[in-house]
Amino acid sequence: MRRKFFIVCLALLVLLFVIFPDITSKGAESGLLLWFNVIIPSLCPFMIISTMLVRLNVTSYISNMFYPLLHKVFKLSKDGCYPAVIGMLSGYPLGAKTVADLYKMGAFSRKEAQYVLGFCNNASPMFLFEYIGVKCLDLGQPVLMLAVVYLSAFINAFPLFYHPASGISGNKDKYLQKKNYSMMEALDDSILSSAVTLVKVGGYIILFSILAELLQSMAAVSDIFKIAGAGILEITTGGEIIAGVQMPLYIKCIVISAFCAFGGLSSVAQTSSVLIGTDLSTKKYIFVKAIMQARCFYLNILV
């Protein structure tokens, strides 16, 4: 049943692309430029270095630095600290990719991997500061938006999924028996792996940008639905569209930060793609992000 529904949706999309080639082309161009100008510069360096550290099995040094704090606050194991830190710094979908890579290596349990995935995979500080805060909203001090989005992620972490009886990680024997990479092998493999992930990210951004552009072109659809739809589909394109709408600045900040907390369906698709090959649940991830979006919206109203 699900497969038939998916096929019908694809057929409708192809039909829309044929009927509205100019809108499709404009959306694809917009998504491609956003991917090239915003996503690649902010994500590529983090992705190559992070993947290389995982390949060289040196993530423990970073984990040891943050373990006392993150274990005390979030009850993470040492191996769970690294993807949490990288995810907070780098943004979608690198947090999820790092969790998946380490989980495949047996660094920690499925329960902890699912838990870390729920709060470490967020919009990056660079994206929130430079693109959303400065370019889209022209804020002089976008620190508050960053603080609210990340605070909602931290608050969201406490009641969900993970209540360890001890700090024991996953299959350590499997983790330690993995291939030992030389420096150049690790670099080469990291560049290739990162390139594949970035191409996937670009494809999803382009596809969802086209959908957002098609939504904006529908005259029968209300403006509120267009704004909500743009943010739900893709936050990069959605942020640009919402920024151009005539409404008070504080309302724009509340709406955009809430959409950034969820990440949009594009980031969900990106996250799901990097989880392929694991048994981690995308449904649980979506559930956690939806709660996080609600918390972010409420926190924005309070501040």
Side-chain angles (χ1 to χ4, degrees), residues 120 124 146 169 210 230 265 290 299:
C120 78
S124 71
L146 176 69
S169 292
I210 293 172
L265 295 179
L299 283 173

Side-chain angles (χ1 to χ4, degrees), residues 67 71 75-79 107-109 112 162 164-172:
Y67 175 72
H71 176 70
K75 306 301 180 184
L76 294 177
S77 68
K78 286 187 178 180
D79 290 308
F108 40 58
S109 67
E112 184 173 9
Y162 190 55
S166 64
I168 299 174
S169 292
N171 189 343
K172 297 301 254 183

Side-chain angles (χ1 to χ4, degrees), residues 2 15 40 61 90 103 117 146 184 213 228 232 301:
R2 184 183 299 177
L15 183 62
I40 290 180
Y61 297 105
S90 57
Y103 178 58
L117 179 64
L146 176 69
M184 287 308 300
E213 193 67 38
I232 291 171
I301 293 175

Side-chain angles (χ1 to χ4, degrees), residues 73-225:
V73 177
F74 298 111
K75 306 301 180 184
L76 294 177
S77 68
K78 286 187 178 180
D79 290 308
C81 293
Y82 177 73
V85 172
I86 291 298
M88 291 174 197
L89 291 175
S90 57
Y92 302 112
L94 185 52
K97 183 180 184 300
T98 308
V99 170
D101 287 345
L102 286 171
Y103 178 58
K104 289 176 184 177
M105 296 172 67
F108 40 58
S109 67
R110 181 179 186 271
K111 192 173 184 180
E112 184 173 9
Q114 192 75 58
Y115 169 68
V116 176
L117 179 64
F119 76 91
C120 78
N121 200 43
N122 301 297
S124 71
M126 184 181 296
F127 176 82
L128 290 171
F129 266 109
E130 295 185 5
Y131 184 75
I132 297 296
V134 177
K135 184 177 179 180
C136 291
L137 298 175
D138 196 25
L139 297 176
Q141 297 292 334
V143 178
L144 183 60
M145 175 178 288
L146 176 69
V148 169
V149 171
Y150 274 72
L151 182 60
S152 63
F154 298 151
I155 294 174
N156 209 42
F158 289 109
L160 295 171
F161 295 122
Y162 190 55
H163 302 282
S166 64
I168 299 174
S169 292
N171 189 343
K172 297 301 254 183
D173 291 336
K174 180 181 176 183
Y175 186 36
L176 295 173
Q177 290 171 6
K178 279 291 178 180
K179 176 181 176 180
N180 290 321
Y181 288 84
S182 68
M183 187 68 71
M184 287 308 300
E185 283 178 327
L187 177 59
D188 186 68
D189 187 71
S190 299
I191 292 174
L192 178 60
S193 175
S194 300
V196 170
T197 303
L198 284 170
V199 170
K200 287 182 181 180
V201 170
Y204 285 118
I205 289 176
I206 291 170
L207 176 60
F208 281 93
S209 293
I210 293 172
L211 295 178
E213 193 67 38
L214 287 170
L215 180 64
Q216 301 307 306
S217 67
M218 295 180 180
V221 178
S222 67
D223 290 340
I224 294 177
F225 188 79

Side-chain angles (χ1 to χ4, degrees), residues 208-282:
F208 281 93
S209 293
I210 293 172
L211 295 178
E213 193 67 38
L214 287 170
L215 180 64
Q216 301 307 306
S217 67
M218 295 180 180
V221 178
S222 67
D223 290 340
I224 294 177
F225 188 79
K226 288 180 180 180
I227 293 170
I232 291 171
L233 285 170
E234 214 288 307
I235 57 171
T236 314
T237 305
E240 189 174 30
I241 291 172
I242 295 170
V245 175
Q246 293 297 321
M247 65 171 65
L249 180 59
Y250 76 95
I251 297 294
K252 291 182 182 180
C253 291
I254 291 174
V255 172
I256 292 181
S257 60
F259 284 134
C260 286
F262 179 72
L265 295 179
S266 176
S267 76
V268 171
Q270 295 165 31
T271 299
S272 181
S273 73
V274 299
L275 297 181
I276 293 174
T278 73
D279 57 354
L280 299 177
S281 171
T282 302

